[in-house]
């Protein structure tokens, strides 16, 4: 697992010690973690650019914000995720994969906190209940 820090590891570790919120991107395959203090990158798209990724690569990553209180997962499942055509199945697999990969990433950077999906991103789950 490769961890990339913006602007650098010591700066991000200081933010972790201060319990500042961090932007975290976790690649779908779990091989990459991108981390920055939220005040240094502001949004996940900006973090990608600052670490020399293209903005359209956002759909290669699970997007979370983390501190000692927990993890807020920006749950946005791309329509092309793993080539699964069924929306319901795609969301189920995305959720399962996300829980697995985000949990591993959190452990790799030293956080033991719960993963939370904010209400505004729960529309996918409401759709699943209605089917």
């Amino acid at each position: 697992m490769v961890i990339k820090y913006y602007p650098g590891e010591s700066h991000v570790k200081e933010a972790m010690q201060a319990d500042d919120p961090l932007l975290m991107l976790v690649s779908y395959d779990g091989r990459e973690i991108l981390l920055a203090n939220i005040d240094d990158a502001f949004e996940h798209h900006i973090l990608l650019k600052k670490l020399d990724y293209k903005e359209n690569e956002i759909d290669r990553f699970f997007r979370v914000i983390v501190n000692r209180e927990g993890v807020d997962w920006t749950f946005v499942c791309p329509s092309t995720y793993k080539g699964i055509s069924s929306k319901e199945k795609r969301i189920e697999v995305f959720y399962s994969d996300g829980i697995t990969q985000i949990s591993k990433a959190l452990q790799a950077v030293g956080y033991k906190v719960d993963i939370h999906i904010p209400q505004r991103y729960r529309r996918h789950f409401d759709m699943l209940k209605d089917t």
Side-chain angles (χ1 to χ4, degrees):
M1 189 174 289
V2 175
I3 303 172
K4 297 180 182 178
Y5 301 89
Y6 179 82
E9 184 175 358
S10 63
H11 187 76
V12 173
K13 298 266 179 166
E14 286 174 22
M16 292 170 79
Q17 289 298 319
D19 198 28
D20 289 341
L22 302 178
L23 291 172
M24 176 187 273
L25 290 160
V26 180
S27 64
Y28 291 159
D29 63 10
R31 293 184 184 163
E32 291 179 278
I33 301 170
L34 312 181
L35 276 175
N37 182 322
I38 200 167
D39 293 334
D40 293 325
F42 308 109
E43 293 182 15
H44 292 98
H45 286 90
I46 295 170
L47 176 56
L48 281 175
K49 287 180 77 172
K50 288 183 179 284
L51 289 172
D52 296 324
Y53 289 79
K54 294 178 182 164
E55 278 189 62
N56 64 354
E57 290 184 85
I58 194 73
D59 285 339
R60 289 186 36 230
F61 295 90
F62 299 107
R63 304 168 229 178
V64 300
I65 297 175
V66 59
N67 70 357
R68 288 186 210 126
E69 290 179 25
V71 176
D72 284 344
W73 179 6
T74 304
F75 191 96
V76 180
C77 179
S79 61
T80 58
Y81 189 72
K82 290 193 171 180
I84 301 170
S85 58
S86 165
K87 188 173 186 176
E88 293 83 9
K89 183 65 176 168
R90 183 173 59 245
I91 291 168
E92 289 174 13
V93 171
F94 184 79
Y95 175 80
S96 178
D97 291 350
I99 293 293
T100 299
Q101 297 303 342
I102 294 166
S103 295
K104 288 179 184 177
L106 291 168
Q107 185 175 17
V109 298
Y111 282 98
K112 293 181 182 176
V113 292
D114 292 331
I115 299 170
H116 176 259
I117 301 171
Q119 190 63 39
R120 67 185 170 277
Y121 295 108
R122 292 186 169 268
R123 68 186 184 287
H124 295 295
F125 297 105
D126 293 339
M127 181 208 59
L128 291 176
K129 291 179 205 171
D130 295 337
T131 59

